[in-house]
């Protein structure tokens, strides 16, 4: 979209309409110290071609995920996405649609949202799911707010294995709502005793599995302790493909399951847009944020789809709303649904097994690297590596050798004193050649 600035006549007409005589008068209420007296020190304007060349040179300094062996994790996973996914989501009836406020002319959109909800409920082992959220972090924050509404309590306990970005979003939302949040210390080996911290003051306990360090967590006893004390268990995931192989959070007793669906159907996209997944038990349905697509029949008895229980402030009175978040990453949810439909249940299980097998092979290869140690006893496709020296500097050296090596924990937890830890993830796209390149670059860089 090109930008065409206003003419002087346009500005004068706008000022006259709102009843002020000049631009200066428009900002008359602004404190003098905040008003610029001289123009900003910016370079002179350039032609469109010059701007294109400038940004092309700037972009060339990056290493695209497609150009190097990729082992970055911590919520950003490179998976193969079939070409048919992108082709189908670009159909005009999907790509140009906004939101289905008029169900009678949005049946295709509502149907795929209904299918999406069904898939999410089956994946998570829960009874109901909504039509998606912004991403996993905001879904987690909304889950905590929902737990407060259900239990009438205002305190949440966050596991030390929860992704730090997710924890930060929860704390930000809670601070603004004047709710209490207790965050456990970073838990590298999944050794924290959450059960000992659970009492009748908590609304919920938030636990991630696989956690940010890659550990698999058995939620069963934590769920029992939560329910004994009248609290809810919120289970979180950042790698949706893991649900194709691991026991579902619902089967382990979770009350709310939230996470990131980027792994299925959605590319990395420099961090977004992503698609948040949100599922819960039927008894908590009316406290779930966002919108739901439901199945019904029309006046002629034919199957039809409707928006139902849309409990956000755009749909109902603000004081009755469960959330004011602008929910539903519709196009990303569609990509998720198409990819998962193409895979099918058996295909997702095979995909998950390949992911895990590749991670096991890499972990075995790392046993022969003297200055590196795999810390995990259990993992899916991501694990924590302790290295000699500073992991952030190590990543830079490995990138210079053409390998995207992983995420330094120090960048996720800058004040935790974990400078020697590196999160490493591998997926079905990683070949033996990629693993060899990773290990070789690691040995050369240590």
């Amino acid at each position: 979209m090109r930008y065409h600035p206003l003419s002087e006549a346009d500005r004068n007409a706008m000022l006259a309409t709102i009843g002020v005589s000049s631009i200066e008068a428009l900002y008359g209420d602004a404190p003098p110290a905040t008003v610029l007296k001289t123009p900003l020190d910016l370079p002179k304007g350039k032609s469109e071609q010059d701007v294109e060349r400038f940004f092309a040179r700037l972009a060339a300094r990056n290493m695209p995920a497609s150009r190097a062996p990729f082992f970055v994790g911590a919520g950003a996973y490179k998976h193969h996405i079939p070409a048919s996914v992108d082709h189908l989501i670009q159909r005009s009836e999907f790509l140009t649609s906004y939101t289905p406020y008029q169900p009678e002319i949005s049946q295709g959109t509502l149907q795929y949202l209904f299918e999406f909800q069904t898939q999410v409920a089956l994946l998570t082992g829960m009874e109901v799911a909504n039509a998606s959220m912004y991403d996993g972090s905001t879904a987690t924050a909304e889950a905590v707010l929902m737990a407060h509404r259900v239990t009438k309590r205002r305190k949440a306990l966050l596991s030390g294995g929860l992704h730090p970005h997710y924890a930060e979003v929860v704390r930000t939302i809670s601070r603004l709502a004047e709710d209490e949040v207790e965050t456990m210390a970073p838990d590298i080996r999944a050794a924290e005793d959450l059960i000992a911290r659970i009492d009748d003051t908590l609304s919920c306990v938030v636990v991630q599995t696989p956690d940010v360090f890659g550990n698999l967590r058995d939620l069963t006893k934590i769920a029992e302790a939560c329910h004994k004390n009248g609290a809810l268990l919120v289970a979180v995931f950042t790698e949706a493909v893991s649900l194709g192989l691991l026991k579902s959070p619902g089967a382990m007793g979770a009350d709310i399951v939230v996470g990131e669906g980027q792994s299925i159907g959605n590319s990395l996209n420099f961090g977004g847009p992503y698609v948040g997944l949100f599922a819960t038990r039927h008894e908590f349905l009316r406290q779930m944020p966002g919108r739901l697509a439901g199945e019904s029949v029309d006046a002629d008895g034919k199957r039809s789809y409707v928006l139902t229980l849309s409990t956000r402030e755009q749909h109902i009175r603000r004081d009755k709303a469960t959330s004011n978040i602008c929910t539903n990453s519709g196009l990303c949810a569609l990509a998720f649904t198409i990819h998962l439909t193409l895979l099918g249940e058996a295909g997702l299980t095979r995909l998950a097994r390949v992911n895990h097998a590749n991670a096991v092979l890499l972990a075995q290869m790392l046993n022969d690297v003297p200055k590196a140690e795999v810390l995990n006893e259990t993992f899916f496709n991501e694990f924590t590596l302790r290295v000699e020296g500073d992991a952030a500097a190590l990543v830079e050296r490995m990138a210079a050798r053409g390998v995207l090596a992983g995420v330094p924990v120090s960048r996720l937890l800058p004040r935790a004193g974990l400078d020697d830890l590196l999160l490493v993830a591998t997926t079905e796209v990683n070949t033996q050649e990629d693993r060899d390149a990773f290990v070789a670059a690691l040995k050369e860089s240590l």
Side-chain angles (χ1 to χ4, degrees), residues 41 52 90 101 106 109 147 150 179 205 207 219 226 234 236 244 342:
D41 183 19
E52 287 179 351
Q90 291 189 54
Y101 289 113
S106 302
T109 301
V150 170
D179 296 330
V205 178
V207 188
L219 305 180
C226 285
V234 178
V236 181
L342 291 170

Side-chain angles (χ1 to χ4, degrees), residues 28-100:
D29 293 331
T34 66
V35 179
L36 292 173
K37 304 297 190 297
T38 58
L40 290 170
D41 183 19
L42 295 174
K44 293 182 179 180
K46 293 181 179 293
S47 70
E48 185 174 327
Q49 282 186 330
D50 287 338
V51 173
E52 287 179 351
R53 293 188 185 109
F54 172 79
F55 280 106
R57 289 194 299 270
L58 202 62
R61 295 167 59 186
N62 292 325
M63 183 190 295
S66 60
R67 207 178 72 198
F70 184 93
F71 293 89
V72 178
Y77 307 98
K78 183 186 175 189
H79 289 279
H80 168 69
I81 300 171
S84 51
V85 173
D86 191 53
H87 174 75
L88 290 171
I89 68 172
Q90 291 189 54
R91 288 180 60 93
S92 60
E93 60 265 42
F94 293 133
L95 192 62
T96 59
S97 298
Y98 174 48
T99 49

Side-chain angles (χ1 to χ4, degrees), residues 67-338:
R67 207 178 72 198
F70 184 93
F71 293 89
V72 178
Y77 307 98
K78 183 186 175 189
H79 289 279
H80 168 69
I81 300 171
S84 51
V85 173
D86 191 53
H87 174 75
L88 290 171
I89 68 172
Q90 291 189 54
R91 288 180 60 93
S92 60
E93 60 265 42
F94 293 133
L95 192 62
T96 59
S97 298
Y98 174 48
T99 49
Y101 289 113
Q102 296 175 292
E104 64 275 11
I105 60 171
S106 302
Q107 286 295 292
T109 301
L110 289 169
Q111 181 174 354
Y112 85 67
L113 290 177
F114 184 83
E115 298 293 343
F116 169 83
Q117 292 167 182
T118 304
Q119 291 173 335
V120 173
L122 290 171
L123 275 175
T124 58
M126 304 305 286
E127 294 164 337
V128 290
N130 70 12
S132 83
M133 308 289 281
Y134 269 145
D135 58 16
S137 63
T138 49
T140 303
E142 289 289 336
V144 170
L145 294 178
M146 174 177 159
H148 293 341
R149 293 192 296 272
V150 170
T151 63
K152 305 297 191 293
R153 301 172 184 174
R154 312 298 300 181
K155 181 180 178 182
L157 175 64
L158 309 185
S159 162
L162 180 64
H163 194 299
H165 295 173
Y166 287 38
E168 189 63 30
V169 172
V170 171
R171 287 192 291 268
T172 298
I173 296 294
S174 298
R175 174 171 52 81
L176 296 172
E178 298 184 347
D179 296 330
E180 186 177 352
V181 177
E182 180 182 348
T183 306
M184 301 284 280
D187 185 27
I188 304 168
R189 297 181 184 271
E192 64 187 0
D193 188 0
L194 278 171
I195 293 176
R197 308 293 284 270
I198 299 174
D199 57 32
D200 60 8
T201 68
L202 294 177
S203 75
C204 62
V205 178
V206 183
V207 188
Q208 180 176 327
T209 183
D211 68 19
V212 71
F213 300 104
N215 304 295
L216 306 184
R217 308 288 291 263
D218 185 354
L219 305 180
T220 308
K221 292 184 178 179
I222 301 174
E224 292 172 355
C226 285
H227 300 155
K228 182 179 178 181
N229 287 276
L232 303 185
L233 174 60
V234 178
V236 181
F237 59 88
T238 58
E239 171 55 287
V241 174
S242 68
L243 297 173
L245 191 59
L246 304 177
K247 188 175 183 179
S248 73
M252 292 188 280
D255 299 291
I256 306 173
V257 182
V258 292
E260 180 53 62
Q262 173 267 319
S263 291
I264 300 176
N266 290 273
S267 58
L268 292 165
N269 291 327
F270 298 97
Y274 283 176
V275 53
L277 311 184
F278 196 115
T280 188
R281 301 194 181 282
H282 192 275
E283 63 187 288
F284 306 134
L285 175 63
R286 290 186 176 273
Q287 291 299 332
M288 185 163 55
R291 53 164 69 91
L292 292 85
E295 186 181 66
S296 184
V297 292
D298 64 14
D300 298 321
K302 296 179 181 179
R303 182 173 63 173
S304 63
Y305 297 92
V306 296
L307 275 182
T308 183
L309 295 176
S310 299
T311 52
R312 67 181 189 145
E313 52 86 18
Q314 286 192 1
H315 295 96
I316 64 174
R317 294 195 307 276
R318 185 175 300 240
D319 61 322
K320 300 293 184 183
T322 58
S323 171
N324 67 354
I325 190 170
C326 186
T327 50
N328 181 219
S329 299
L331 200 65
C332 298
L334 175 61
F336 179 100
T337 300
I338 293 171

